[in-house]
Amino acid sequence: MNEASSHTQDARQGWRPATHYPDPAIHALDPRFEKYWLKLSAVERLTTGLRWAEGPVWFGDGRYLLCSDIPNQRIIKWEEETGAVSVFRKPSNFANGNTRDRQGRLITCEHGGRRVTRTEYDGEITVLMDQFNGKRLNSPNDVVVKSDGSIWFTDPTFGLLGNYEGYKAESEIEPNVYRLDPASGKAAVVAEGVLGPNGLCFSPDETILYVVESRGVPNRKILAYDVSADGTSISNKRVHIDAGPGTPDGMRCDVDGNLWCGWGMGDPELDGVVVFAPDGVMIGRIALPERCANLCFGGVKRNRLFMAASQSIYALYVNTQGAVGG
């Protein structure tokens, strides 16, 4: 499953590493993107052979990346220093989104368990939330942790629709966005009425929460909300980006407030990553031969973009850093 074993599959899977700089897979759509584009950096494929890659999360203290492979019921581990790929957890309970809390512990959204969990330092798994007001959650999808330690996650029904990415079941509760208080453990609905809440992230100063509305009509949208001063609620729902024919999924902010969004499905020309400036203007694109579901920043300087794209994981060094947290 490592890159060395995948070279013979390159033609079949449509992947070709760049043979010259700048990488033709990277496109500046606005002059503002130029400062983030390292012209001597190219997209690399780190591994392939997954079924549906999701939820990448970087562990800087161990210099490794974890990534969910949902249908295969596993979380895989890629080690930066050696390039080794191994299975971190199997079965994973159809794990999807992952992040780390402020104590460095793994936080995971599980479709199969319909729950959000925390992996303790000794490997034990703690269930943080699996129901709300006596009703089971749907299939927690993506998750971020705010600087106050609160855990924010989306809960669409995607994992209940069949037995490929979860267990087919009836929904008991409306899809919502939740905030889980770190001190009391109490959960609250912070956003309701979002059609298919999916990826989410905070702006660098945490005054804005972005949420992907993946069943938006007629197009997917990236919504924006103002975060209250005490960090416990959101308001002023608005459409930040109308995706048109695009399909935003998971996303992260860099330190300048740009949104780096997993993108694709349908037209192959849309597959990859799209970058939006804080004002919502599309400024750059990273073309991939597969739809990108989610991404994160990592590496020693947090300037390496890791992209979970369908059956593979890709990486690209960029001239920015991921915003701390999330």
Side-chain angles (χ1 to χ4, degrees):
M1 201 165 82
N2 58 35
E3 183 63 26
S5 67
S6 66
H7 286 309
T8 59
Q9 304 175 32
D10 286 349
R12 180 172 60 83
Q13 298 204 10
W15 165 244
R16 285 286 192 278
T19 57
H20 65 277
Y21 295 124
D23 187 340
I26 305 168
H27 306 273
L29 308 177
D30 183 287
R32 287 176 287 179
F33 185 70
E34 291 288 343
K35 67 175 289 188
Y36 305 110
W37 181 1
L38 291 173
K39 299 301 174 65
L40 299 183
S41 172
V43 176
E44 306 164 75
R45 188 167 70 176
L46 305 180
T47 190
T48 191
L50 292 77
R51 280 206 171 101
W52 180 240
E54 255 283 8
V57 57
W58 175 251
F59 279 72
D61 40 354
R63 291 188 66 180
Y64 62 85
L65 181 83
L66 298 182
C67 181
S68 295
D69 183 6
I70 304 176
N72 278 325
Q73 275 264 43
R74 62 182 180 171
I75 297 175
I76 67 166
K77 177 183 181 181
W78 173 82
E79 299 181 47
E80 185 179 43
E81 293 185 275
T82 65
V85 177
S86 58
V87 174
F88 175 80
R89 177 175 296 161
K90 183 177 177 67
S92 66
N93 225 358
F94 291 104
N96 188 341
N98 298 287
T99 192
R100 299 180 78 182
D101 67 10
R102 294 297 162 141
Q103 290 72 45
R105 296 167 296 190
L106 176 66
I107 306 296
T108 300
C109 291
E110 297 181 3
H111 283 188
R114 300 168 70 167
R115 64 187 190 176
V116 178
T117 65
R118 181 178 65 219
T119 301
E120 308 297 347
Y121 301 125
D122 63 2
E124 290 293 314
I125 295 177
T126 300
V127 178
L128 299 178
M129 184 175 173
D130 60 3
Q131 60 179 301
F132 184 74
N133 288 343
K135 296 180 180 180
R136 295 190 69 188
L137 297 178
N138 294 305
S139 52
N141 183 284
D142 206 355
V143 58
V144 290
V145 177
K146 197 171 176 292
S147 60
D148 61 4
S150 58
I151 297 168
W152 300 59
F153 69 94
T154 54
D155 184 43
T157 60
F158 307 151
L160 304 181
L161 302 180
N163 294 313
Y164 188 63
E165 294 185 67
Y167 300 111
K168 188 173 182 179
E170 294 297 320
S171 173
E172 299 178 17
I173 194 170
E174 290 296 316
N176 294 312
V177 181
Y178 294 91
R179 177 187 182 273
L180 191 58
D181 188 85
S184 67
K186 183 179 179 180
V189 174
V190 289
E192 53 189 353
V194 179
L195 304 177
N198 200 322
L200 76 171
C201 69
F202 287 102
S203 62
D205 61 4
E206 299 183 330
T207 60
I208 301 173
L209 176 71
Y210 298 105
V211 179
V212 169
E213 187 176 52
S214 60
R215 295 296 182 267
V217 179
N219 303 319
R220 288 196 182 200
K221 300 174 180 66
I222 299 178
L223 306 175
Y225 298 82
D226 294 329
V227 181
S228 62
D230 65 1
T232 63
S233 62
I234 55 178
S235 61
N236 190 25
K237 174 183 177 180
R238 56 198 181 274
V239 175
H240 183 60
I241 295 162
D242 185 320
T247 51
D249 198 332
M251 58 188 173
R252 289 292 181 264
C253 263
D254 66 18
V255 291
D256 292 333
N258 300 298
L259 275 173
W260 299 67
C261 306
W263 211 262
M265 185 171 269
D267 186 345
E269 292 298 314
L270 297 175
D271 288 346
V273 171
V274 170
V275 185
F276 293 93
D279 60 5
V281 174
M282 187 184 296
I283 62 172
R285 177 173 179 265
I286 303 165
L288 298 174
E290 307 174 68
R291 174 187 176 183
C292 181
N294 213 332
L295 47 80
C296 73
F297 289 92
V300 175
K301 298 294 185 181
R302 297 203 324 277
N303 66 337
R304 197 174 189 185
L305 183 69
F306 293 100
M307 299 164 278
S310 299
Q311 299 177 28
S312 308
I313 301 173
Y314 298 88
L316 174 69
Y317 283 100
V318 293
N319 194 33
T320 186
Q321 296 178 317
V324 176

